[in-house]
Amino acid sequence: MSDILRLFIALPLPGEVHTILQPQHDALKTHLSDYDQAIGWTTPEQWHLTLSFLGATNAERLPQIQSAVERAAKPIRACGLGTTTLGAFPSLRRPSVVWLGVGGDVTSLQTLQFRLSEALTGMIEPDDKPFKPHLTLARLKQFGLGKEVTEAFNKMTLTKHAWTAGELCLYQSILQPQGAEYTIVHSVKLSK
């Protein structure tokens, strides 16, 4: 194992959600196919709901981080989530990340995300951006595609899907030429 690990904490998606979202993801890719060279698409295996990005972390801190994840998750119950609308960061006018929003029991998500931030104090840099639950669908390698992304969104018919998030995972992200590979390093079941 490397001395430095690229880590994040997220809720994984059940397999059936991947199956339902895949055709919508493919349709969006088709609508933006003229710009494929400028867009890095995520794969279903990479879809997750990130709660905390730790980034480059010394492997020696892994036991502390695992303990923090367990403390944060302990009182949190499994929560009902669902897909909402398409969006982009930082905005649709200048998209760099295309995402599918996640709604449902957002209060539990916010509580879990806050508890993680508290449990990880001193281990990660505080994130001052407001928490926006989402699944990353694509990363744009260039700015200036706001009009094209907006037009693609307008052509989409979304099928919303609900699921229960019952597990919190600590992931390692390994950057490869073909894209990032995610491996679960530690997981905690949320209470029923």
Side-chain angles (χ1 to χ4, degrees):
M1 184 184 292
S2 170
D3 290 342
I4 300 297
L5 307 175
R6 192 166 183 262
L7 302 173
F8 65 92
I9 301 167
L11 298 169
L13 295 184
E16 70 269 9
V17 177
H18 292 216
T19 303
I20 289 168
L21 295 182
Q22 181 71 54
Q24 296 175 80
H25 189 248
D26 292 344
L28 186 59
K29 285 171 77 170
T30 299
H31 293 314
L32 289 167
S33 62
D34 290 347
Y35 310 97
D36 254 359
Q37 296 302 313
I39 302 174
W41 294 97
T42 59
T43 63
E45 299 79 38
Q46 295 172 314
W47 296 340
H48 58 270
L49 178 57
T50 301
L51 296 173
S52 182
F53 182 74
L54 285 70
T57 307
N58 190 313
E60 291 176 358
R61 296 195 98 166
L62 202 51
Q64 285 177 279
I65 294 167
Q66 290 171 339
S67 177
V69 168
E70 289 182 18
R71 280 194 317 276
K74 190 171 186 170
I76 304 296
R77 299 176 74 79
C79 52
L81 302 176
T83 56
T84 60
T85 60
L86 293 165
F89 292 134
S91 71
L92 261 178
R93 289 180 52 217
R94 284 187 47 126
S96 64
V97 173
V98 173
W99 47 260
L100 179 59
V102 174
D105 189 359
V106 175
T107 302
S108 289
L109 283 182
Q110 291 169 328
T111 300
L112 180 55
Q113 200 261 345
F114 177 77
R115 289 182 56 79
L116 279 168
S117 295
E118 281 192 328
L120 293 165
T121 299
M123 291 183 249
I124 62 169
E125 291 294 316
D127 189 357
D128 57 352
K129 290 180 276 194
F131 177 57
K132 175 78 175 173
H134 69 278
L135 308 174
T136 298
L137 301 179
R139 290 181 176 79
L140 280 64
K141 301 171 190 170
Q142 70 182 46
F143 280 114
L145 293 176
K147 180 181 172 214
E148 294 78 3
V149 169
T150 300
E151 287 173 1
F153 283 6
N154 290 336
K155 294 175 186 173
M156 295 291 297
T157 302
L158 293 179
T159 303
K160 296 183 179 180
H161 185 68
W163 71 93
T164 299
E167 182 180 30
L168 181 64
C169 297
L170 173 63
Y171 288 88
Q172 179 180 2
S173 173
I174 302 168
L175 300 178
Q176 304 285 358
Q178 67 275 14
E181 285 181 14
Y182 303 146
T183 304
I184 295 174
V185 176
H186 186 70
S187 68
V188 179
K189 295 283 186 205
L190 300 179
S191 63
K192 297 281 184 197

